[in-house]
Amino acid sequence: MSVTVFYKDEVIARGALGEFAGALRGLEPLARSSDLLAFDDETGKQVDLDLTGTAAPAPRPRGRPSLGVEAREVTLLPRHWEWLSGQPGGASVTLRKLVEAAMRAGRGERECRDAAYRFLSVMAGDRPFFEEAARALYKGDRVRFETYAQAWPEAVRDHARKLAWPGAAD
């Protein structure tokens, strides 16, 4: 998981959490816990920072241990089950392949906008023109979003832009 860490309104670290957790432990004591926040670069969700230096053991996966497979129920129409049963490897293998292909295809526009909104709700929810910027975000109106977000800290505005419009030229 790639994360971006903000100290107040500035980016102080980016990358895999394990890469810089040690450096973050050296920060001076925080006046408020909300001064140091980390966000998942894929989903925009806030993530907890464990700066104690002790990692909790990973939970043991269910299912086939070598794959970490977890059994759940899937509801399909009879014609879907018929098609799946005719595929090499059967339904489970085919469904895993389809899911992996969709994951590789990347996030859609809606997921990108949702990630930016989650991030902005925490970092800019009380800033001027937040609601107007959020409306522009979901309309896909980058110019209007930029206009409303102009007065926000540059790092906050840039990270939201990166989440909402990945791959777009700045």
Side-chain angles (χ1 to χ4, degrees):
M1 171 192 325
S2 177
V3 298
T4 300
V5 180
F6 285 80
Y7 178 67
K8 299 188 179 175
D9 291 328
E10 295 299 322
V11 175
I12 62 166
R14 244 190 203 112
L17 192 55
E19 293 175 4
F20 52 77
L24 294 179
R25 282 187 210 106
L27 288 175
E28 60 188 54
L30 302 172
R32 301 175 324 181
S33 61
S34 62
D35 286 346
L36 185 67
L37 300 172
F39 297 89
D40 182 319
D41 289 335
E42 182 80 13
T43 65
K45 292 180 180 177
Q46 193 173 344
V47 295
D48 291 332
L49 292 172
D50 178 15
L51 303 179
T52 63
T54 59
R60 186 179 165 136
R62 292 182 181 167
R64 296 171 57 188
S66 63
L67 297 177
V69 175
E70 183 177 334
R72 292 197 183 179
E73 185 177 330
V74 175
T75 306
L76 300 172
L77 294 172
R79 67 177 183 267
H80 299 146
W81 284 115
E82 185 179 323
W83 181 83
L84 282 170
S85 66
Q87 300 304 306
S92 292
V93 170
T94 303
L95 286 172
R96 280 195 296 273
K97 287 180 180 179
L98 288 169
V99 169
E100 287 295 326
M103 289 170 63
R104 279 191 300 276
R107 299 181 296 158
E109 276 185 22
R110 179 63 189 228
E111 288 99 351
C112 292
R113 303 304 194 280
D114 287 346
Y117 182 79
R118 280 186 214 99
F119 166 73
L120 287 172
S121 293
V122 174
M123 295 298 290
D126 60 348
R127 297 189 190 275
F129 303 112
F130 168 76
E131 291 178 11
E132 293 84 352
R135 285 189 203 97
L137 172 73
Y138 277 106
K139 286 181 181 176
D141 188 342
R142 186 172 171 176
V143 172
R144 184 167 258 151
F145 172 82
E146 294 285 342
T147 301
Y148 289 125
Q150 187 61 41
W152 299 350
E154 183 179 358
V156 172
R157 185 178 62 245
D158 290 350
H159 191 66
R161 183 187 316 118
K162 183 176 155 188
L163 288 170
W165 293 280
D170 288 329

